[in-house]
Amino acid sequence: MILRMVWPAWALLLVLGPLLALCVAGWWRARRSEGRGGGWLRRAAMVLATLVIGLAPAVPAETTQVETNAEVFFVVDRTGSMAAEDYDGAQPRLAGVRHDLVALVEALPGARYSVIGFDSQASRQLPLTTDARAVRTWAETLRQEITRFSAGSAVDRPREALAEALAGAATRNPGNVRLVFVLADGEDTSGADDPSGGTAGFAELAGLIDGGAVLGYGTTAGGRMRTYDGTESTGPGTAAPWILDEASPGSPPAVSRIDETNLRRLAAALGVPYAHRIAPTPVADLVAGIDVEELAADGRRDVSTYRDVLWPAAAVLAVLVAAEAFAQAARWRRLSGIPA
């Protein structure tokens, strides 16, 4: 038997602890003054029954073989540079990201998927879900960050969010296989004095990762980017002004170039391969080395399920509540002088 904890332990103690103490105190006072205290014992039993329900005891139901126990984390760069028009000719890099997100989901069916997006900040865009359509919908609506809110690019910006997501997944389902795919251009304009280009901290996450890849977008020649204000009339494919390089004389249109050195460092830190993506090509080679069944050959494909055993405590609580209601009704009749 295990305890699945419907409520956190601190919440159970905070709410039920004082109630139980009140019942015990009431029983002790009633015993001393009236020589009885059955009502308070009944209320204490109600609190204890509620505690049992909150602890949610469960017994093993069965162990099943799942199609895949892979958890796939997509880390997606949405900074302004990802709108640079140097993918598959003059398409924005985000067009490649959209294609590859959908293709990877199709190549890894039956998994659970999560998306972490990063621009001026990193955030979980999609929690782990088996709904592949949710990833496709997110990819279809993927846009660059609003230009005036841009704080530049930083490769290490999603590290903390990814670390939190991986650690949480490892705690909840330690037997699952975790795959990480980073889709970015590697640019780092944060100005941080870091010889690793901001990638060193990712090495701490390698032990939580079973596979994946770093996908790089853009070219060494680079591309210009349209400004984006959140409306359909701006951004790639529109006549919106170019993002300007304010640090250069005359403020010419800024040109973003892929930083493959950073991307390769990132891949090495995570312990996954690097792939340069310049056109919408198949992703079979990106997942060819990922055999979820082989990665989980230590038995991690066996998933145990549990059956909650709440009904005994719930039944006892229902009886106690009915008895308390009957006792209170009788007490009210006595106080009101109504004959029974």
Side-chain angles (χ1 to χ4, degrees):
M1 179 178 288
I2 65 169
L3 300 178
R4 293 160 68 91
M5 303 294 288
V6 172
W7 304 316
W10 64 266
L12 291 173
L13 292 175
L14 182 64
V15 176
L16 300 181
L19 290 177
L20 185 59
L22 179 63
C23 292
V24 172
W27 171 80
W28 179 253
R29 189 166 51 251
R31 287 286 295 177
R32 295 188 62 182
S33 63
E34 305 172 11
R36 59 185 181 184
W40 286 106
L41 287 178
R42 181 172 58 248
R43 292 165 199 137
M46 291 167 61
V47 174
L48 291 175
T50 304
L51 175 63
V52 173
I53 294 173
L55 293 174
V59 296
E62 60 183 357
T63 299
T64 58
Q65 290 283 318
V66 297
E67 179 182 350
T68 173
N69 61 345
E71 296 176 334
V72 184
F73 296 85
F74 296 111
V75 182
V76 180
D77 185 353
R78 303 190 308 180
T79 56
S81 62
M82 291 299 287
E85 299 176 0
D86 60 350
Y87 173 83
D88 192 26
Q91 293 296 309
R93 296 169 187 173
L94 287 178
V97 173
R98 294 188 195 98
H99 170 274
D100 290 343
L101 278 174
V102 174
L104 285 168
V105 168
E106 293 174 349
L108 295 166
R112 300 174 69 204
Y113 315 97
S114 178
V115 177
I116 296 173
F118 70 98
D119 39 49
S120 299
Q121 59 184 1
S123 62
R124 185 88 69 95
Q125 298 291 304
L126 189 68
L128 279 169
T129 177
T130 57
D131 188 358
R133 291 173 299 179
V135 182
R136 295 190 184 96
T137 299
W138 189 88
E140 290 170 0
T141 59
L142 175 61
R143 299 290 184 272
Q144 73 194 83
E145 66 180 332
I146 294 177
T147 304
R148 66 189 180 93
F149 295 150
S150 175
S153 301
V155 175
D156 64 348
R157 197 163 285 154
R159 192 196 68 80
E160 186 174 342
L162 178 60
E164 182 179 345
L166 290 172
T171 299
R172 289 188 300 271
N173 299 293
N176 284 4
V177 172
R178 288 170 293 279
L179 310 175
V180 173
F181 292 91
V182 181
L183 301 86
D185 58 21
E187 256 198 345
D188 193 323
T189 60
S190 64
D193 186 15
D194 183 350
S196 74
T199 63
F202 286 92
E204 302 171 3
L205 310 183
L208 297 172
I209 298 172
D210 294 294
V214 172
L215 282 57
Y217 299 85
T219 63
T220 54
R224 297 180 297 178
M225 303 144 284
R226 300 281 183 181
T227 58
Y228 180 63
D229 64 8
T231 65
E232 293 297 326
S233 61
T234 58
T238 70
W242 299 109
I243 294 177
L244 302 179
D245 181 1
E246 303 288 354
S248 297
S251 299
V255 175
S256 171
R257 297 176 176 82
I258 188 174
D259 190 333
E260 290 197 276
T261 299
N262 255 359
L263 293 170
R264 292 183 189 279
R265 286 173 177 162
L266 176 58
L270 293 174
V272 299
Y274 166 71
H276 189 195
R277 306 290 291 173
I278 58 174
T281 52
V283 299
D285 56 327
L286 300 177
V287 299
I290 300 174
D291 188 332
V292 174
E293 184 172 0
E294 181 179 349
L295 288 170
D298 57 359
R300 289 191 287 174
R301 287 177 64 82
D302 292 338
V303 177
S304 297
T305 58
Y306 291 86
R307 181 181 297 111
D308 291 328
V309 187
L310 302 178
W311 67 266
V316 170
L317 180 60
V319 171
L320 291 171
V321 169
E324 180 68 16
F326 181 81
Q328 291 299 326
R331 181 172 180 269
W332 181 80
R333 285 196 300 269
R334 287 196 304 271
L335 292 176
S336 301
I338 301 174

